[in-house]
């Protein structure tokens, strides 16, 4: 099958080419958008990532150009109009779990970097400053960690935080008996938000969860709370979070995802004027740590993404339906 990759980076071609599949793979660096969709002409399938836009118009164009299959090389599918894809008869596959550990461990890295300020210590020591002033952190043991969404990633995160000796409270639409047995207590979402010292978001983005963190929910939080988001940017209303940082309601913010990340992330914009005033403001706070959607970015996850995506392509050709097929 001829597969056009969008938003591809050097590590994508490296991990996919290493598997030597029978498919014909072409890598485009462009995001899939109205202006780039024509690149899909004469291909059988497109392989896309988190910031590629698969709205109804783009799906119609893909169908017109002869695309039969959409291969998401990620877990989240909030960027695809699945209803339209189904109506057009386009098959959509995803990689439901490539490494829950990669993302959960990154969430912990954000917590501990913000807490123990290792990023600041690194710079200080390189400049000959061995002072400890303003590097003070806190013990995680006995702190209350609130987890919203205890699916694959949230569950790993809960287990890691249990290892730190934290008390875990959680909210999910479905409670996990395994996590309950491990000592995690499920509570209504408002209680999780109001009782936690650290809140970590691990639920998907959908109509219900968009701007889950807003002015009202921020007001419920403890003063000085740490908020971590490795899930999807629009779970957080950025302007409300900026307000909460200014008023010191939020003590720390660690984000691997950002509401308008499609204009910024995965690109080197170091010589460009950034027009996004909210990200510019966020980068000025000393207690904010931003990574550019790198939670998934481990050797193990890249291998899993490539092997599962190529298996999804094989399954499509062989007419095999698996749980990876969304429509
Ligand atoms: P999952 O589907 O295994 O778990 C999601 C959990 O959220 C489920 O238990 C579900 O019941 C729960 N949920 C759904 N609606 C909810 C609501 N309104 N409130 C609370 N919980 C709700 O998904 P997984 O693999 O754990 O991924 C979670 C999210 O992490 C993905 O949706 C994706 O957006 C994000 N992600 C981020 C990556 C990164 O590199 N930063 C990489 C992979 C995923």
């Amino acid at each position: 099958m001829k597969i056009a990759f969008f938003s591809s980076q050097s590590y994508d071609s490296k991990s996919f080419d290493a598997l030597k599949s029978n498919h014909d793979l072409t890598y485009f660096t462009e995001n899939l958008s109205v202006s780039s969709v024509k690149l899909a002409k004469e291909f059988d399938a497109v392989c896309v990532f988190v910031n590629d836009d698969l709205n109804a118009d783009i799906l119609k164009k893909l169908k017109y150009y002869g695309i039969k299959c959409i291969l998401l090389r990620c877990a989240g599918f909030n960027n695809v109009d699945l209803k339209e894809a189904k109506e057009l008869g386009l098959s959509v596959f995803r990689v439901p779990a490539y490494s829950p550990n990669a993302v959960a461990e990154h969430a912990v890295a954000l917590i501990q970097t913000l807490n123990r300020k290792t990023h600041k210590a690194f710079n200080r020591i390189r400049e000959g400053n061995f002072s400890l002033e303003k590097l003070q952190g806190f013990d995680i043991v006995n702190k209350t960690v609130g987890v919203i969404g205890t699916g694959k990633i949230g569950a790993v995160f809960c287990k890691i935080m249990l290892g730190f000796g934290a008390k875990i409270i959680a909210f999910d639409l479905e409670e996990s008996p395994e996590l309950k047995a491990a000592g995690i207590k499920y509570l209504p979402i408002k209680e999780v938000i109001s009782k936690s010292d650290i809140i970590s978001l691990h639920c998907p983005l959908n109509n219900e969860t968009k701007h889950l963190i807003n002015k009202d929910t921020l007001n419920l939080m403890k003063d000085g709370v740490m908020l971590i988001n490795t899930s999807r940017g629009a779970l957080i209303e950025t302007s409300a979070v900026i307000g909460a940082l200014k008023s010191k309601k939020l003590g720390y913010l660690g984000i691997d995802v950002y509401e308008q990340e499609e204009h910024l992330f995965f690109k080197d914009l170091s010589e460009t004027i950034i027009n996004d005033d909210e990200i510019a403001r966020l980068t000025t706070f000393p207690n904010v740590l931003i990574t550019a959607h790198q939670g998934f970015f481990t050797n193990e996850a890249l291998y899993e993404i490539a092997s599962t995506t190529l298996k999804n392509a094989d399954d499509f050709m062989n007419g095999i339906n698996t749980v990876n097929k969304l429509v």
Side-chain angles (χ1 to χ4, degrees):
M1 191 154 66
K2 286 179 76 179
I3 308 175
F5 281 62
F6 283 85
S7 306
S8 58
Q9 305 280 347
S10 63
Y11 47 81
D12 291 313
S13 47
K14 203 169 158 198
S15 58
F16 276 84
D17 289 346
L19 294 177
K20 302 194 187 319
S21 78
N22 294 324
H23 302 285
D24 180 354
L25 315 181
T26 302
Y27 301 97
F28 297 114
T29 53
E30 288 87 342
N31 283 7
L32 179 59
S33 65
V34 182
S35 55
S36 67
V37 65
K38 54 184 175 296
L39 293 170
K41 223 184 259 184
E42 291 170 16
F43 286 88
D44 305 301
V46 290
C47 182
V48 293
F49 197 49
V50 291
N51 291 328
D52 289 309
D53 190 358
L54 293 115
N55 66 31
D57 285 346
I58 291 176
L59 290 173
K60 281 185 191 122
K61 289 208 167 86
L62 287 173
K63 173 83 183 177
Y64 174 76
Y65 290 138
I67 294 296
K68 300 168 203 73
C69 175
I70 292 161
L71 300 162
L72 296 167
R73 53 179 192 280
C74 54
F77 49 87
N78 52 286
N79 52 336
V80 190
D81 186 335
L82 287 181
K83 193 166 159 268
E84 183 69 26
K86 194 172 180 188
E87 273 169 27
L88 292 167
L90 291 167
S91 296
V92 182
F93 290 81
R94 68 168 178 149
V95 184
Y98 33 90
S99 175
N101 295 70
V103 185
E105 288 169 17
H106 190 70
V108 178
L110 291 177
I111 292 173
Q112 281 298 67
T113 308
L114 280 166
N115 172 20
R116 305 305 299 270
K117 304 173 180 65
T118 43
H119 55 322
K120 297 187 182 181
F122 175 83
N123 286 327
R124 272 191 195 187
I125 286 181
R126 286 164 76 96
E127 289 178 7
N129 176 356
F130 298 90
S131 158
L132 296 185
E133 289 295 332
K134 299 196 169 66
L135 295 183
Q136 197 170 324
F138 58 84
D139 288 4
I140 301 275
V141 68
N142 297 329
K143 293 292 180 299
T144 301
V145 177
V147 183
I148 300 181
T150 55
K152 291 178 285 295
I153 296 170
V156 176
F157 176 79
C158 285
K159 290 175 196 162
I160 298 173
M161 295 317 286
L162 277 178
F164 274 81
K167 181 180 158 200
I168 315 289
I169 54 176
F171 172 75
D172 196 307
L173 305 178
E174 284 173 46
E175 300 186 357
S176 152
E178 192 209 335
L179 289 179
K180 278 166 103 168
I184 276 117
K185 191 172 173 191
Y186 282 93
L187 291 174
I189 190 159
K190 283 191 177 170
E191 276 191 60
V192 172
I193 286 176
S194 61
K195 289 185 168 160
S196 301
D197 301 302
I198 300 171
I199 298 172
S200 195
L201 307 179
H202 298 287
C203 58
L205 174 64
N206 53 38
N207 290 339
E208 246 176 79
T209 59
K210 184 169 182 203
H211 290 177
L212 177 75
I213 304 301
N214 54 44
K215 210 171 166 196
D216 295 338
T217 47
L218 282 159
N219 277 336
L220 295 175
M221 293 179 191
K222 281 188 182 178
D223 290 344
V225 64
M226 181 187 288
L227 176 64
I228 302 292
N229 186 11
T230 56
S231 205
R232 282 292 178 267
L235 293 177
I236 290 182
E237 187 176 10
T238 312
S239 56
V241 151
I242 290 173
L245 284 160
K246 284 162 87 174
S247 71
K248 302 198 174 74
K249 176 65 160 178
L250 259 188
Y252 313 79
L253 175 70
I255 53 173
D256 186 48
V257 285
Y258 171 63
E259 214 174 348
Q260 284 91 34
E261 69 175 51
E262 65 273 19
H263 306 299
L264 304 166
F265 286 11
F266 310 116
K267 298 178 183 122
D268 177 359
L269 302 177
S270 51
E271 295 299 319
T272 313
I273 305 296
I274 307 268
N275 283 322
D276 184 324
D277 289 352
E278 288 191 328
I279 196 100
R281 183 67 179 101
L282 282 176
T283 59
T284 66
F285 293 101
N287 50 351
V288 171
L289 178 61
I290 304 172
T291 53
H293 211 132
Q294 71 177 76
F296 76 99
F297 200 45
T298 65
N299 302 335
E300 293 79 0
L302 286 179
Y303 172 79
E304 234 7 86
I305 288 170
S307 57
T308 306
T309 303
L310 292 170
K311 167 91 172 44
N312 287 344
D314 292 343
D315 287 346
F316 170 73
M317 285 187 66
N318 298 325
I320 299 169
N321 289 340
T322 67
V323 287
N324 297 354
K325 188 169 186 235
L326 294 166
V327 293

